[in-house]
Amino acid sequence: MNDDATLSESALIDGEVVRELADIPAVEVISRAAVMLMSSAAEKLGLGEADPSASPHLDLDEARRVITALAGLVTASVEYLGPHAGPIREGLQSLQRAFRESSEYPDAPGAGPGEKYTGPVY
């Protein structure tokens, strides 16, 4: 089978048919991107471990970048998210608070990751 035929056929991943991007509603693409960024930030904050400070994945510099990207995405697309906006915003704020709690020297309110887009998170 050549690569062109492989790319044009429906593929199966974890038992689900992968849809063409053109067929996926924008709100779903945005929501999936937000969930992926949230998951990445949580891992980089060590939140998957009983003791986040001992996590081998703890990387506050990387977490800052991912949280800031998430804040930009959420702020730019909030009007399109409908009922998904509230939970996504709450998740973002939780990550921003977790970042502040994980930091040895916390940023001033308004200077934390993504806060230039969301406003200060306390």
Side-chain angles (χ1 to χ4, degrees), residues 6-87:
T6 304
L7 292 175
S8 65
E9 294 177 4
S10 294
L12 291 177
I13 297 178
D14 296 331
E16 291 186 31
V17 175
V18 176
R19 297 179 283 172
E20 295 291 327
L21 284 176
D23 295 334
I24 301 173
V27 67
E28 189 174 331
V29 173
I30 295 166
S31 297
R32 285 183 182 189
V35 168
M36 182 178 285
L37 290 167
M38 285 182 188
S39 297
S40 176
E43 285 298 319
K44 291 174 187 320
L45 289 170
L47 299 178
E49 303 292 329
D51 179 9
S53 64
S55 172
H57 304 292
L58 182 63
D59 187 335
L60 293 182
D61 187 47
E62 286 286 305
R64 176 184 296 277
R65 293 173 188 181
V66 176
I67 293 169
T68 299
L70 174 61
L73 175 65
V74 171
T75 301
S77 60
V78 71
E79 68 183 287
Y80 307 114
L81 293 174
H84 303 284

